[in-house]
Amino acid sequence: MRKKRILLLSEGFGTGHTQAAYALSVGIRQLAPDVQTRVIELGKFLNPTVGPLIFAAYRKTVSAQPKLVGLLYRKKYKKSLNRFTQLALHRIFYTQASHVVEQLRPDAVVCTHPFPNIVISRLKRSGLNIPLYTLITDYDAHGTWLNPEVNQYLVSAPEVRQKLLMRGIASDRIVVTGIPVHPKFWQRCPQAEAQQTLGLKPLPTVMIMGGGWGLALDEELLQYMSTWCEHVQLLFCMGSNQKAIQRMEQDPMYRHPNIHIFGYTQEVSTIMDASDLLVTKPGGMTCTEGMTKGIPMLFYAPIPGQEEENCDYFTEHGFGELIESKDTVAKWFNDLLLHYETLRQKRQSGQLIFREPDKCAQAVLELLQ
């Protein structure tokens, strides 16, 4: 009997969508080793030359014109893309998508980004007979995720389920699964052991997450954080942004034994275990990983749109706070110093773990039966 196959489709607009796809893939294989999975960033796969240029242009737009991004997000918030736009998207970037599906012959498709979700939905309208599951990778429900051809929506939280219900999506088409994270984020390493593994001192430790695009923190805030380095260990995780890494390594402000700069690393889980506080942009994936680890969070520079919605969700539920000024940083850093041992003991005892493990892999396997 042929093994079941699941095709997971993402896009390279940021890193969270694809990370969620890979995390789901690993979770599925752990629960059902006989199920085959394949993760593809569809636009990049079909257009290896043009795709990266589009993603680079998007990145520049987000960095230079965040208000424009927010305006576009809100303008289309309640609507799926119209048929003409979907057709244009398919013709320009995804004309060979049907061949990929035909060649791989999956038993189900899971989309972790709206664009491949639109493409597979269009193919289904043209006769493709295959279950389509849509994993919404934020704590909001933008209209571009929604298509009648979607068999099941896998959502991060009950609040997102409620938003879909208000859009007219039937309740039996929505499952609250959480956003999948790699299983290693559910494994707990004692903080002292994690710090020793990373060559760190047994000090209050703050992880500053720049993400795949590097750090977007205000320079004044960075300088202020660095003034705490005699008492607080600062770990800057800069992803693949080599220019930012080189600039920081050459800056005297960061040349202190309690300041550490990390490039792209597979050790994010261990770094979170070593840390007492996470400073990050409120991307859905990073925040879910932090929440899974039970680490308090400070949020900076949310992109207007989905990151603002993510930020609202996490702050309203008490998982963190938006950095309004240096006073926000001072309050949290002082709290670390004054109550370090108490916070450490709470975290090691599991009192700060916020939720149950995600159920996404199990839900997909149940739907596949």
Side-chain angles (χ1 to χ4, degrees):
M1 181 179 295
R2 184 175 76 87
K3 292 183 177 180
K4 293 283 189 179
R5 299 174 182 175
I6 300 176
L7 176 60
L8 300 104
L9 299 178
S10 181
E11 277 302 359
F13 296 93
T15 59
H17 300 286
T18 303
Q19 285 180 341
Y22 277 113
L24 178 54
S25 173
V26 172
I28 289 170
R29 293 200 307 271
Q30 283 195 349
L31 292 175
D34 58 330
V35 174
Q36 296 178 342
T37 62
R38 174 80 179 272
V39 177
I40 296 177
E41 288 185 341
L42 191 57
K44 183 178 179 181
F45 182 79
L46 296 174
N47 301 279
T49 302
V50 178
L53 297 177
I54 295 171
F55 302 141
Y58 171 77
R59 173 179 173 179
K60 288 182 180 179
T61 303
V62 169
S63 300
Q65 300 288 338
K67 291 183 178 179
L68 174 61
V69 174
L71 179 65
L72 293 172
Y73 184 89
R74 294 184 180 90
K75 185 176 181 180
K76 293 292 184 181
Y77 184 75
K78 294 184 178 181
K79 301 177 182 178
S80 58
L81 295 183
N82 60 51
R83 292 293 176 90
F84 177 79
T85 305
Q86 292 185 29
L87 175 62
L89 187 67
H90 189 275
R91 289 284 177 85
I92 296 172
F93 302 112
Y94 297 104
T95 54
Q96 303 300 314
S98 60
H99 297 313
V100 173
V101 177
E102 289 171 6
Q103 184 176 7
L104 296 179
R105 295 188 299 141
D107 297 284
V109 174
V110 181
C111 292
T112 63
H113 188 276
F115 282 4
N117 183 59
I118 289 168
V119 171
I120 300 301
S121 293
R122 189 173 182 278
L123 292 177
K124 289 190 68 172
R125 288 198 300 272
S126 300
L128 178 66
N129 184 20
I130 191 171
L132 172 59
Y133 309 138
T134 295
L135 169 59
I136 298 179
T137 52
D138 283 301
Y139 291 81
D140 192 23
H142 193 272
T144 52
W145 288 101
L146 309 184
N147 286 288
E149 294 76 20
V150 174
N151 297 87
Q152 204 80 33
Y153 291 93
L154 313 172
V155 302
S156 55
E159 291 85 347
V160 180
R161 180 180 185 274
Q162 187 60 36
K163 290 182 179 182
L164 292 182
L165 291 173
M166 293 174 65
R167 304 278 184 86
I169 305 299
S171 61
D172 61 356
R173 293 174 61 204
I174 311 167
V175 182
V176 180
T177 62
I179 297 175
V181 299
H182 194 285
K184 64 186 176 184
F185 283 90
W186 292 106
Q187 300 168 3
R188 299 301 304 278
C189 176
Q191 185 178 35
E193 182 180 329
Q195 289 178 338
Q196 186 176 20
T197 298
L198 296 169
L200 305 176
K201 297 177 183 177
L203 291 172
T205 301
V206 177
M207 178 182 185
I208 300 100
M209 196 82 172
W213 292 355
L215 198 59
L217 257 174
D218 181 84
E219 190 66 26
E220 185 178 349
L221 276 174
L222 283 174
Q223 291 178 0
Y224 180 68
M225 286 184 185
S226 70
T227 64
W228 291 77
C229 64
E230 291 295 335
H231 308 288
V232 176
Q233 205 159 213
L234 301 173
L235 313 180
F236 290 92
C237 297
M238 302 304 297
S240 301
N241 193 327
Q242 290 301 318
K243 289 184 179 179
I245 294 170
Q246 292 174 6
R247 185 169 63 251
M248 292 178 71
E249 289 177 343
Q250 294 169 3
D251 191 330
M253 182 173 71
Y254 302 105
R255 293 177 185 170
H256 189 281
N258 290 342
I259 294 179
H260 303 263
I261 301 171
F262 297 85
Y264 177 79
T265 176
Q266 298 285 347
E267 302 302 323
V268 172
S269 174
T270 304
I271 297 172
M272 285 187 178
D273 283 329
S275 303
D276 302 283
L277 177 66
L278 171 62
V279 180
T280 181
K281 287 176 66 62
M285 193 67 194
T286 299
C287 291
T288 303
E289 291 170 347
M291 183 171 64
T292 302
K293 285 292 188 181
I295 183 171
M297 293 175 277
L298 289 182
F299 307 117
Y300 68 88
I303 298 171
Q306 67 266 36
E307 285 195 354
E308 286 182 338
E309 297 294 333
N310 292 341
C311 187
D312 289 345
Y313 174 85
F314 283 99
T315 55
E316 288 171 4
H317 286 76
F319 300 143
E321 185 176 347
L322 177 65
I323 297 177
E324 301 282 0
S325 66
K326 291 189 292 186
D327 292 340
T328 309
V329 176
K331 179 183 70 174
W332 282 80
F333 280 33
N334 268 317
D335 197 49
L336 274 184
L337 294 174
L338 292 173
H339 307 291
Y340 176 54
E341 286 302 325
T342 301
L343 290 171
R344 188 172 185 168
Q345 289 171 11
K346 280 186 177 181
R347 188 147 179 245
Q348 289 304 129
S349 67
Q351 294 181 45
L352 296 181
I353 295 179
F354 294 124
R355 66 183 186 93
E356 294 296 318
D358 66 72
K359 305 170 184 177
C360 200
Q362 185 63 50
V364 171
L365 291 171
E366 289 175 358
L367 291 168
L368 195 60
Q369 293 177 357

